[in-house]
Amino acid sequence: ASDIERFLAAFCTRREAVVEAARKLLSDEQAPRRQKLLADLIHNLNENILAEDREQDKKWFEGLESRFKNKSSYMRYSCESRIRSYMKEVSSFTSSVHPTARDAYKRIIDLMSDKLKSVKYNGCYFDRREEEAVRLCTTEGWFSCQGPFDRDDCPCKHSINPYSNRESRILFSTWNLDHIIEKKRAVVPELAEAVKTRDGREVNWEYFYQLLFTVDNLKLVHIACHKKTNHNLSCDKTKIYRKRKQNHKIS
């Protein structure tokens, strides 16, 4: 093993001793940079990551409603809230849809809403108890930044565990579920236009649903990797319409 591996192993096996030594150093330290390093070390080594219930980690739940009995239920709620907010934006666009297409647009919203309810607003993305295939974190609750919309990975290797402590839980709220093909600039206007110009064709609402609410088009990104510039990406024109089916007709 390398020196750094032995160093990290010592940290894990002698955590309490390291914390105590760091506290003693911090009490006499005057240099801000060294203070920050020691404070972060103490903070990180004191995490209660594996605790799940409120009684096991009361500090984590400070400021949260009493209805949240465990960490995973709150994290699910956190993800659901983000997805619900996207649905509200899609719905609020109704007034901008051409009057002749508004009813059809509303019917698509209803179909999307029903689908979201059936999958519990994809709260599984933030729930560490879920199957690996549907969650965005490890079993311990570690999330990794997936990088800017125009990159395959995160150049800074950002990571966070909102299950670890209250501060990380709060910081995680600044991470963004970023739409690769932008929701406001591209997806929603394209959906409205598709409904308006369908001319007897059936709008493929499930394609738009995937772009708006699923990881097919969502990337979890650290605030520093969230580029707010125009992505200049558009919907796939070949997927906007589909052959008519007997069910769920949009006419």
Side-chain angles (χ1 to χ4, degrees), residues 57-102:
D57 194 353
K58 291 181 180 179
K59 284 186 177 180
W60 193 92
F61 290 87
E62 285 179 10
L64 298 182
E65 296 174 37
S66 59
R67 65 189 173 103
F68 298 113
K69 305 301 182 186
N70 56 63
K71 293 178 180 180
S72 294
S73 66
Y74 174 76
M75 292 303 296
R76 281 192 76 94
Y77 166 79
S78 171
C79 188
E80 288 171 16
S81 296
R82 298 188 191 209
I83 301 297
R84 284 176 188 271
S85 72
Y86 300 159
M87 187 70 242
K88 284 181 182 177
E89 287 182 65
V90 180
S91 184
S92 66
F93 196 80
T94 305
S95 59
S96 300
V97 176
H98 193 277
T100 61
R102 245 171 238 166

Side-chain angles (χ1 to χ4, degrees), residues 32-163:
R33 188 179 182 186
R34 288 165 64 91
Q35 283 181 336
K36 177 74 167 64
L37 286 169
L38 287 166
D40 283 349
L41 175 62
I42 294 166
H43 180 70
N44 289 326
L45 289 176
N46 273 329
E47 291 173 341
N48 196 359
I49 289 176
L50 297 181
E52 179 68 20
D53 298 332
R54 184 179 280 267
E55 291 303 311
Q56 296 174 313
D57 194 353
K58 291 181 180 179
K59 284 186 177 180
W60 193 92
F61 290 87
E62 285 179 10
L64 298 182
E65 296 174 37
S66 59
R67 65 189 173 103
F68 298 113
K69 305 301 182 186
N70 56 63
K71 293 178 180 180
S72 294
S73 66
Y74 174 76
M75 292 303 296
R76 281 192 76 94
Y77 166 79
S78 171
C79 188
E80 288 171 16
S81 296
R82 298 188 191 209
I83 301 297
R84 284 176 188 271
S85 72
Y86 300 159
M87 187 70 242
K88 284 181 182 177
E89 287 182 65
V90 180
S91 184
S92 66
F93 196 80
T94 305
S95 59
S96 300
V97 176
H98 193 277
T100 61
R102 245 171 238 166
D103 286 344
Y105 185 84
K106 287 177 184 175
R107 285 197 289 275
I108 286 177
I109 287 174
D110 289 341
L111 290 169
M112 288 181 172
S113 183
D114 287 343
K115 188 170 177 72
L116 280 174
K117 287 173 186 174
S118 74
V119 295
K120 299 178 180 177
Y121 293 89
N122 288 328
C124 56
Y125 292 158
F126 290 0
D127 188 343
R128 66 181 178 181
R129 300 170 303 182
E130 282 285 353
E131 296 293 323
E132 184 177 1
V134 296
R135 55 178 155 83
L136 293 175
C137 60
T138 67
T139 51
E140 286 191 333
W142 284 99
F143 291 83
S144 296
C145 173
Q146 296 174 321
F149 76 92
D150 54 357
R151 285 194 55 141
D152 291 332
D153 56 11
C154 172
C156 301
K157 305 300 180 189
H158 296 120
S159 64
I160 190 171
N161 191 330
Y163 287 86

Side-chain angles (χ1 to χ4, degrees), residues 172-201:
F172 186 65
S173 66
T174 66
W175 283 51
N176 198 273
L177 273 175
D178 188 30
H179 289 83
I180 301 168
I181 302 173
E182 293 169 284
K183 176 178 75 270
K184 287 182 179 178
R185 287 192 179 113
V187 184
V188 176
E190 187 71 70
L191 173 59
E193 183 64 18
V195 175
K196 175 187 160 190
T197 60
R198 66 195 184 283
D199 191 25
R201 294 171 292 181

